[in-house]
Amino acid sequence: MESIEEQTVSMPRIGDKAPEFKAITTQGDINFPVDYKDKWIIFFSHPADFTPVCTSEFMTFAKREPEFTALNCQLVGLSIDGLYSHIAWLRTIKEKIEFKGMKNIEVKFPLIEDITMEVAKKYGMIQPGESTTKAVRAVFFIDPKGMIRAIIYYPLSMGRNFDELKRALIALQTADSYNIATPADWQPGDDVIVPTAGSCGIAKERMEDKQEMTCYDWFFCTKPLPVEKVKTK
Ligand code: BEZ
């Protein structure tokens, strides 16, 4: 029996370069993240094939894949199952499962086989307090330079919110495009936060001449960013 340290190894952090690996997937062999150079990647794990929450998630991800593709984002999934289990499960989803109006759903993005748990361990997807044999529901947002920009973890029992995954991707891309930050519950079209004043002079200017900004105090100013300027599709 491996120790907890051996099961988890390490967790990449926000700001780290995405750990590289080669893997077998339902769409052929991949070299990660090199094969997706110049794209955003949402790399996510699920606990196991042929389980209900995962099935609902895969159907939703597959149905919404075009929305992520439009945002220059590649989806890549992983579980600690073998290739033939993956293939059988994806065939079952397409041929038999009808859920919330979704049917005949074909999963076209790669699903990694990781029976050895090598990749899952590299990405801290094994959380022994939750399970030593199944990956938790991890989501890594990786930018076109191969850097990890956001990480969200969910337990085995909770299906992910795909509106939130898309909102997070758009918020990251918008922050990069306009050098802004996004406030709580931000949605495209809402005001955005301008970088905090870095000098007394700028703080004074902001309070005296707010231009198009709304300043709640010298350190907290927002400005409009119309929805037409935000890439949402
Ligand atoms: C599920 O996807 O339904 C599931 C997987 C592992 C544990 C519990 C639920």
Side-chain angles (χ1 to χ4, degrees):
M1 179 73 182
E2 285 177 313
S3 67
I4 288 206
E5 287 74 25
E6 282 164 337
Q7 285 160 20
T8 50
V9 186
S10 66
M11 281 183 58
R13 294 160 300 192
I14 292 175
D16 286 354
K17 205 166 164 355
E20 294 180 5
F21 61 84
K22 292 192 172 134
I24 294 168
T25 86
T26 48
Q27 301 292 324
D29 294 357
I30 61 167
N31 186 0
F32 189 95
V34 180
D35 286 351
Y36 309 109
K37 197 170 165 291
D38 299 330
K39 285 187 182 179
W40 285 79
I41 306 168
I42 291 184
F43 178 36
F44 65 99
S45 53
H46 71 275
D49 298 344
F50 293 101
T51 50
V53 178
C54 300
T55 301
S56 70
E57 290 191 316
F58 262 67
M59 293 182 77
T60 310
F61 241 148
K63 183 183 154 218
R64 300 191 62 170
E65 187 184 13
E67 297 173 47
F68 290 93
T69 305
L71 293 167
N72 188 33
C73 179
Q74 172 71 47
L75 305 178
V76 180
L78 171 147
S79 80
I80 300 162
D81 290 287
L83 183 64
Y84 299 120
S85 166
H86 283 344
I87 292 171
W89 179 45
L90 299 188
R91 283 175 62 86
T92 303
I93 287 177
K94 179 161 166 39
E95 287 162 13
K96 299 206 179 120
I97 311 288
E98 186 170 345
F99 172 69
K100 281 196 166 177
M102 296 182 279
K103 64 175 184 181
N104 198 28
I105 295 286
E106 191 171 344
V107 175
K108 295 181 184 149
F109 54 82
L111 172 52
I112 293 170
E113 79 152 16
D114 191 29
I115 324 176
T116 60
M117 301 194 198
E118 198 184 319
V119 180
K121 284 179 186 170
K122 236 181 202 178
Y123 274 82
M125 291 165 168
I126 308 295
Q127 311 247 323
E130 183 74 340
S131 172
T132 52
T133 56
K134 294 177 174 63
V136 294
R137 300 179 200 280
V139 187
F140 288 85
F141 296 79
I142 299 168
D143 73 15
K145 292 185 182 137
M147 305 302 286
I148 295 176
R149 298 290 300 278
I151 305 172
I152 311 179
Y153 276 81
Y154 299 74
L156 303 185
S157 62
M158 193 194 300
R160 285 163 272 216
N161 181 312
F162 291 82
D163 287 335
E164 172 58 6
L165 300 185
K166 184 176 173 187
R167 189 193 78 94
L169 177 65
I170 293 172
L172 288 165
Q173 293 181 343
T174 306
D176 284 3
S177 296
Y178 293 101
N179 186 31
I180 50 84
T182 47
D185 291 336
W186 177 82
Q187 293 288 345
D190 291 351
D191 288 359
V192 294
I193 293 176
V194 296
T196 301
S199 69
C200 293
I202 293 176
K204 185 165 176 284
E205 248 173 53
R206 289 232 175 129
M207 295 312 286
E208 285 170 2
D209 173 17
K210 299 188 180 79
Q211 294 156 358
E212 55 166 0
M213 286 189 276
T214 303
C215 287
Y216 301 95
D217 204 332
W218 66 268
F219 64 91
F220 182 8
C221 297
T222 62
K223 67 174 182 185
L225 183 60
V227 72
E228 312 79 64
K229 292 198 170 169
V230 178
K231 184 164 171 44
T232 55
K233 48 189 177 232

